[in-house]
Amino acid sequence: MAGFVASVLTAPLVVSAAGAATPSLSGEKAAFPPFDVTTFAGQLFWLAITFGALYWLMSTIALPRVGAILDERATTIARDLDNAAQMQAKAEATALAYETALTEARKNAQGIAQAARDTSTKASDARRHTVEGELAAKLAQAEATIAATKTSAMTNVRGLGSEVAVAIVTKLTGQTPSATEASEAVDQVLARG
């Protein structure tokens, strides 16, 4: 059909072009064919037929195809936008779940850390009390040992002091005091401090 329409449209154009190419025999200068007033009716006729044929071709073949392509494209864009909106909603939901899980994990970690601190503090306090008790026992034992050693030393000092006092008095005075007198004198000196 398109071949028939093309041949119908091109035949008059070829004839008028051939007539325009041959100069008139009268020697006058020929006018440019589109501006020739004698051919206006034919030109308008063929313009209407050509316009009608092109209008019919465009409305039945080309424009429906372009419309289908535009509709398909609009459908694809709408579908892609819907998919993007769904994916964005999923991503936001996932991010919210992640934040919630992260907050919960932080709370749990703080609870575990606090429990560990409490346990450590209790163990440390118990250990400190045990060590303090052991040290107090050792201190009491050391004080008892020191007191016993001091008492023993004082006894030895008293006996030694008595012997030294007897030796000094004997050397100085030539008289030997009795052991009880020497012991009493040493006790008086030790009592004064």
Side-chain angles (χ1 to χ4, degrees):
M1 172 129 188
F4 172 72
V5 171
S7 65
V8 169
L9 293 176
T10 57
L13 294 175
V14 171
V15 171
S16 45
T22 58
S24 66
L25 298 175
S26 64
E28 294 179 8
K29 212 172 184 190
F32 185 58
F35 297 142
D36 188 7
V37 178
T38 58
T39 59
F40 274 169
Q43 289 177 10
L44 289 176
F45 172 73
W46 287 111
L47 175 67
I49 289 177
T50 305
F51 181 77
L54 286 176
Y55 182 80
W56 178 78
L57 284 174
M58 292 298 285
S59 65
T60 57
I61 296 173
L63 291 179
R65 288 182 184 173
V66 171
I69 291 170
L70 290 176
D71 288 342
E72 181 183 341
R73 190 170 181 189
T75 304
T76 304
I77 289 171
R79 184 180 62 237
D80 290 346
L81 287 175
D82 289 343
N83 288 341
Q86 289 174 353
M87 289 182 162
Q88 183 179 7
K90 286 180 184 177
E92 288 173 357
T94 303
L96 182 61
Y98 172 75
E99 289 296 326
T100 304
L102 187 61
T103 303
E104 189 66 29
R106 284 184 182 151
K107 286 180 185 177
N108 289 342
Q110 289 174 353
I112 291 170
Q114 185 62 38
R117 282 192 293 268
D118 292 345
T119 304
S120 174
T121 302
K122 288 178 184 177
S124 170
D125 287 345
R127 177 74 179 140
R128 184 174 47 86
H129 289 307
T130 304
V131 169
E132 285 176 355
E134 290 173 359
L135 290 176
K138 286 181 182 180
L139 181 63
Q141 183 181 3
E143 286 176 352
T145 304
I146 289 171
T149 305
K150 184 177 178 182
T151 304
S152 171
M154 290 308 271
T155 304
N156 291 338
V157 167
R158 188 170 175 258
L160 185 62
S162 296
E163 291 174 8
V164 170
V166 169
I168 291 174
V169 170
T170 302
K171 188 98 167 159
L172 289 177
T173 61
Q175 296 178 347
T176 304
S178 68
T180 54
E181 289 176 338
S183 294
E184 287 176 7
V186 169
D187 286 340
Q188 286 176 0
V189 170
L190 287 176
R192 283 189 257 163

